[in-house]
Amino acid sequence: MTASILGPGAPALAFDVGGTDMKAALVDAEGTVLGTRRLPTPRDGERTADRVVEAVARLAEEFAAEYPSVAPAAAGLLVPGHVDAAAGVGVLSENLGWREYPFRERATAALGMPVGFDHDVRAAGEAEYLLGAASRYRDVLVVTIGTGIAAAVFIDGRIHAGDGRVGEIGHAPVADGPACACGGRGCLEAVASAAAIARRYAAGTGQPVRGAREVLARAQTGDGVALAVWESALDALALSFAHVVALLSPEALVIGGGLSEAGEELLEPLRRRLDARLTFHRRPVLVKARIGEDAGIIGAALKARAVAPIREQAGTR
Amino acid sequence: MTASILGPGAPALAFDVGGTDMKAALVDAEGTVLGTRRLPTPRDGERTADRVVEAVARLAEEFAAEYPSVAPAAAGLLVPGHVDAAAGVGVLSENLGWREYPFRERATAALGMPVGFDHDVRAAGEAEYLLGAASRYRDVLVVTIGTGIAAAVFIDGRIHAGDGRVGEIGHAPVADGPACACGGRGCLEAVASAAAIARRYAAGTGQPVRGAREVLARAQTGDGVALAVWESALDALALSFAHVVALLSPEALVIGGGLSEAGEELLEPLRRRLDARLTFHRRPVLVKARIGEDAGIIGAALKARAVAPIREQAGTR
């Protein structure tokens, strides 16, 4: 149970499907987050999206059994990749392998309630923008660094979704390699995502690690390969951010996702490297996301509340 | 005399100050551009901005003598660098050496009429957006490649100026060198602007050239240095555009400025290189600016008309 960031509103189910794990929770009428759970995102080749919807329905049943007094009025469902939120469609996920999957329609049928559907990084970014570390800025990016790297882009106080592929900074070239899941080479995400940092260390040493945090810990104890991997990730992030700053001159970059859990151990060297790359540019404030790990769930709950029947939205039933 | 793109409106003076040359013209009530002239931007160290305003006043007198029947109701003045259009101030130009210069106030005093003041690349971009090649798009960049490289950024149908430093893609790192006027190294502008292409060729051969067009011509006749300079400029532009596409997924990139005069000889290889860098991304339409060389003058005239007294705006006097 998480203290309420959301405040009162319609009770809702919240689902945040990531490239590795999916998270689910129930939000009550006070905005309290109940029963948060994390499970591996089901994978079944071309049927992965069907399995995700089945998992969503199963989780809804579990919440109903566990919290019989909380009757959700709507659900929020977030997925990664190229998302057409208006159409309710997952257009493409390279990591999870679906194309043109009608998530909103299928989830609405499976759950028997209205479903707010959106892109995981944009909805998490909206949570940080409305309720978290980005709330004091109008020109700001909320950058999620986890399995992949992508940003929610706020321009003059509004999120910019464009054609659904805005903010894909993880898929811009920062190096000559390694190969990226998208088919490109040297994408930021292939060098500097939390998953890439772990993968590159394992490839360089033959030793699997649990994640990027472990690579950072090894770098701090003098492991040369770990240090090289970590520093090249910082360099790649700073290079990418320099392009972002030159193009958009944002007030702030709010960093979320798994890698942001490293806090100042990530942000301090990143600020230094970015500063060295800039001249007349505005230095954006570089801060850690406040809602952090739960931003997806909070974002999903906000999407759910936005589609809940009006009479539920006051949070009284 | 140019055929009217502008259409009827207040008669106006138009001044477009660039890093190398400045252009001036008079626009009559039908929108016809009269007496366009180009002269070297005056340079006088810390007094350069004063000299620019003096040149503007002198040109206004010349137009008054040459076209006594056209009485301008306002003037438009565009300058490069970091511009605060709302305050009327040229905040900083590395190339021309001014800081915090109150252009609007000084030009208003020198000309005795209202002055619309803005950033050269943004105002030229607005001309292309309202009247030129960008007019069919809502998410589009108008990229000017001349002495420097910068873009006017349109998001969902509105220009995004931010803090006045939005669109400075010329000052993002694409290589390890050469040194850039901004104090950085390997900025796009130091590698791929029209001026940089000429400069790099001259540095590589000891032979001065008139401009980037001559480098392209030499590359086409088998000059190895010219070819290397030209191709590295194309590579740098494609790399920069790949970052732009990943972050903003624009519908189109409209290319203006001196280098765009090369037309398909520039655009065709650029499309090919950009395409090779992209995977799932939307391929932006890559087209030449339509108003082209006159976009600054047209943009300045639009800025002038926006501040002309209402009774003049119909174009009747």
PDB file of all heavy atoms in Angstrom, chain A residues 78-94:
ATOM      1  N   LEU A  78      -1.128   0.528 -20.038  1.00  0.00           N
ATOM      2  CA  LEU A  78      -0.002   1.158 -20.737  1.00  0.00           C
ATOM      3  C   LEU A  78       0.869   0.087 -21.360  1.00  0.00           C
ATOM      4  O   LEU A  78       1.144  -0.928 -20.715  1.00  0.00           O
ATOM      5  CB  LEU A  78       0.857   1.967 -19.754  1.00  0.00           C
ATOM      6  CG  LEU A  78       0.125   2.906 -18.799  1.00  0.00           C
ATOM      7  CD1 LEU A  78       1.139   3.623 -17.908  1.00  0.00           C
ATOM      8  CD2 LEU A  78      -0.747   3.891 -19.562  1.00  0.00           C
ATOM      9  N   VAL A  79       1.322   0.332 -22.582  1.00  0.00           N
ATOM     10  CA  VAL A  79       2.236  -0.605 -23.239  1.00  0.00           C
ATOM     11  C   VAL A  79       3.376   0.185 -23.892  1.00  0.00           C
ATOM     12  O   VAL A  79       3.232   1.366 -24.183  1.00  0.00           O
ATOM     13  CB  VAL A  79       1.515  -1.481 -24.296  1.00  0.00           C
ATOM     14  CG1 VAL A  79       0.325  -2.216 -23.685  1.00  0.00           C
ATOM     15  CG2 VAL A  79       1.102  -0.671 -25.512  1.00  0.00           C
ATOM     16  N   PRO A  80       4.507  -0.489 -24.141  1.00  0.00           N
ATOM     17  CA  PRO A  80       5.644   0.199 -24.768  1.00  0.00           C
ATOM     18  C   PRO A  80       5.581   0.135 -26.299  1.00  0.00           C
ATOM     19  O   PRO A  80       4.658  -0.460 -26.860  1.00  0.00           O
ATOM     20  CB  PRO A  80       6.838  -0.595 -24.248  1.00  0.00           C
ATOM     21  CG  PRO A  80       6.317  -1.982 -24.089  1.00  0.00           C
ATOM     22  CD  PRO A  80       4.853  -1.866 -23.736  1.00  0.00           C
ATOM     23  N   GLY A  81       6.554   0.753 -26.927  1.00  0.00           N
ATOM     24  CA  GLY A  81       6.679   0.688 -28.385  1.00  0.00           C
ATOM     25  C   GLY A  81       5.989   1.852 -29.060  1.00  0.00           C
ATOM     26  O   GLY A  81       5.827   2.920 -28.487  1.00  0.00           O
ATOM     27  N   HIS A  82       5.600   1.633 -30.298  1.00  0.00           N
ATOM     28  CA  HIS A  82       4.885   2.663 -31.053  1.00  0.00           C
ATOM     29  C   HIS A  82       3.394   2.463 -30.789  1.00  0.00           C
ATOM     30  O   HIS A  82       2.833   1.433 -31.106  1.00  0.00           O
ATOM     31  CB  HIS A  82       5.222   2.526 -32.538  1.00  0.00           C
ATOM     32  CG  HIS A  82       4.458   3.461 -33.431  1.00  0.00           C
ATOM     33  ND1 HIS A  82       4.435   3.347 -34.792  1.00  0.00           N
ATOM     34  CD2 HIS A  82       3.683   4.536 -33.142  1.00  0.00           C
ATOM     35  CE1 HIS A  82       3.692   4.308 -35.310  1.00  0.00           C
ATOM     36  NE2 HIS A  82       3.220   5.028 -34.337  1.00  0.00           N
ATOM     37  N   VAL A  83       2.790   3.456 -30.152  1.00  0.00           N
ATOM     38  CA  VAL A  83       1.411   3.345 -29.671  1.00  0.00           C
ATOM     39  C   VAL A  83       0.559   4.432 -30.322  1.00  0.00           C
ATOM     40  O   VAL A  83       0.955   5.596 -30.367  1.00  0.00           O
ATOM     41  CB  VAL A  83       1.377   3.505 -28.130  1.00  0.00           C
ATOM     42  CG1 VAL A  83      -0.048   3.706 -27.633  1.00  0.00           C
ATOM     43  CG2 VAL A  83       2.021   2.289 -27.463  1.00  0.00           C
ATOM     44  N   ASP A  84      -0.584   4.047 -30.824  1.00  0.00           N
ATOM     45  CA  ASP A  84      -1.578   5.022 -31.278  1.00  0.00           C
ATOM     46  C   ASP A  84      -2.671   5.074 -30.208  1.00  0.00           C
ATOM     47  O   ASP A  84      -3.613   4.279 -30.221  1.00  0.00           O
ATOM     48  CB  ASP A  84      -2.145   4.599 -32.637  1.00  0.00           C
ATOM     49  CG  ASP A  84      -3.107   5.638 -33.207  1.00  0.00           C
ATOM     50  OD1 ASP A  84      -3.652   6.461 -32.426  1.00  0.00           O
ATOM     51  OD2 ASP A  84      -3.319   5.629 -34.434  1.00  0.00           O
ATOM     52  N   ALA A  85      -2.519   6.018 -29.271  1.00  0.00           N
ATOM     53  CA  ALA A  85      -3.421   6.063 -28.122  1.00  0.00           C
ATOM     54  C   ALA A  85      -4.846   6.400 -28.550  1.00  0.00           C
ATOM     55  O   ALA A  85      -5.817   5.853 -28.014  1.00  0.00           O
ATOM     56  CB  ALA A  85      -2.913   7.087 -27.101  1.00  0.00           C
ATOM     57  N   ALA A  86      -4.975   7.289 -29.534  1.00  0.00           N
ATOM     58  CA  ALA A  86      -6.319   7.688 -29.975  1.00  0.00           C
ATOM     59  C   ALA A  86      -7.085   6.490 -30.543  1.00  0.00           C
ATOM     60  O   ALA A  86      -8.270   6.312 -30.275  1.00  0.00           O
ATOM     61  CB  ALA A  86      -6.215   8.809 -31.018  1.00  0.00           C
ATOM     62  N   ALA A  87      -6.392   5.649 -31.311  1.00  0.00           N
ATOM     63  CA  ALA A  87      -7.029   4.482 -31.907  1.00  0.00           C
ATOM     64  C   ALA A  87      -7.099   3.308 -30.935  1.00  0.00           C
ATOM     65  O   ALA A  87      -7.825   2.338 -31.176  1.00  0.00           O
ATOM     66  CB  ALA A  87      -6.268   4.060 -33.168  1.00  0.00           C
ATOM     67  N   GLY A  88      -6.348   3.357 -29.831  1.00  0.00           N
ATOM     68  CA  GLY A  88      -6.334   2.253 -28.872  1.00  0.00           C
ATOM     69  C   GLY A  88      -5.488   1.078 -29.325  1.00  0.00           C
ATOM     70  O   GLY A  88      -5.709  -0.047 -28.885  1.00  0.00           O
ATOM     71  N   VAL A  89      -4.502   1.368 -30.170  1.00  0.00           N
ATOM     72  CA  VAL A  89      -3.761   0.291 -30.840  1.00  0.00           C
ATOM     73  C   VAL A  89      -2.271   0.322 -30.463  1.00  0.00           C
ATOM     74  O   VAL A  89      -1.655   1.399 -30.425  1.00  0.00           O
ATOM     75  CB  VAL A  89      -3.913   0.429 -32.378  1.00  0.00           C
ATOM     76  CG1 VAL A  89      -2.968  -0.494 -33.120  1.00  0.00           C
ATOM     77  CG2 VAL A  89      -5.361   0.161 -32.779  1.00  0.00           C
ATOM     78  N   GLY A  90      -1.724  -0.854 -30.181  1.00  0.00           N
ATOM     79  CA  GLY A  90      -0.278  -1.015 -30.108  1.00  0.00           C
ATOM     80  C   GLY A  90       0.224  -1.240 -31.524  1.00  0.00           C
ATOM     81  O   GLY A  90       0.041  -2.323 -32.082  1.00  0.00           O
ATOM     82  N   VAL A  91       0.843  -0.219 -32.111  1.00  0.00           N
ATOM     83  CA  VAL A  91       1.201  -0.291 -33.531  1.00  0.00           C
ATOM     84  C   VAL A  91       2.357  -1.262 -33.748  1.00  0.00           C
ATOM     85  O   VAL A  91       2.329  -2.099 -34.642  1.00  0.00           O
ATOM     86  CB  VAL A  91       1.566   1.112 -34.077  1.00  0.00           C
ATOM     87  CG1 VAL A  91       1.958   1.029 -35.555  1.00  0.00           C
ATOM     88  CG2 VAL A  91       0.407   2.078 -33.876  1.00  0.00           C
ATOM     89  N   LEU A  92       3.388  -1.141 -32.884  1.00  0.00           N
ATOM     90  CA  LEU A  92       4.567  -1.994 -33.054  1.00  0.00           C
ATOM     91  C   LEU A  92       5.373  -1.997 -31.772  1.00  0.00           C
ATOM     92  O   LEU A  92       5.631  -0.952 -31.181  1.00  0.00           O
ATOM     93  CB  LEU A  92       5.440  -1.455 -34.206  1.00  0.00           C
ATOM     94  CG  LEU A  92       6.772  -2.181 -34.448  1.00  0.00           C
ATOM     95  CD1 LEU A  92       6.532  -3.592 -34.948  1.00  0.00           C
ATOM     96  CD2 LEU A  92       7.630  -1.410 -35.447  1.00  0.00           C
ATOM     97  N   SER A  93       5.742  -3.189 -31.312  1.00  0.00           N
ATOM     98  CA  SER A  93       6.774  -3.295 -30.281  1.00  0.00           C
ATOM     99  C   SER A  93       7.842  -4.241 -30.786  1.00  0.00           C
ATOM    100  O   SER A  93       7.570  -5.417 -31.031  1.00  0.00           O
ATOM    101  CB  SER A  93       6.186  -3.820 -28.967  1.00  0.00           C
ATOM    102  OG  SER A  93       7.259  -4.226 -28.118  1.00  0.00           O
ATOM    103  N   GLU A  94       9.067  -3.709 -30.970  1.00  0.00           N
ATOM    104  CA  GLU A  94      10.158  -4.585 -31.399  1.00  0.00           C
ATOM    105  C   GLU A  94      10.486  -5.580 -30.298  1.00  0.00           C
ATOM    106  O   GLU A  94      10.715  -6.747 -30.548  1.00  0.00           O
ATOM    107  CB  GLU A  94      11.443  -3.796 -31.697  1.00  0.00           C
ATOM    108  CG  GLU A  94      11.313  -2.690 -32.700  1.00  0.00           C
ATOM    109  CD  GLU A  94      10.852  -1.411 -32.028  1.00  0.00           C
ATOM    110  OE1 GLU A  94      11.058  -1.261 -30.810  1.00  0.00           O
ATOM    111  OE2 GLU A  94      10.256  -0.566 -32.720  1.00  0.00           O
TER     112      GLU A  94
END
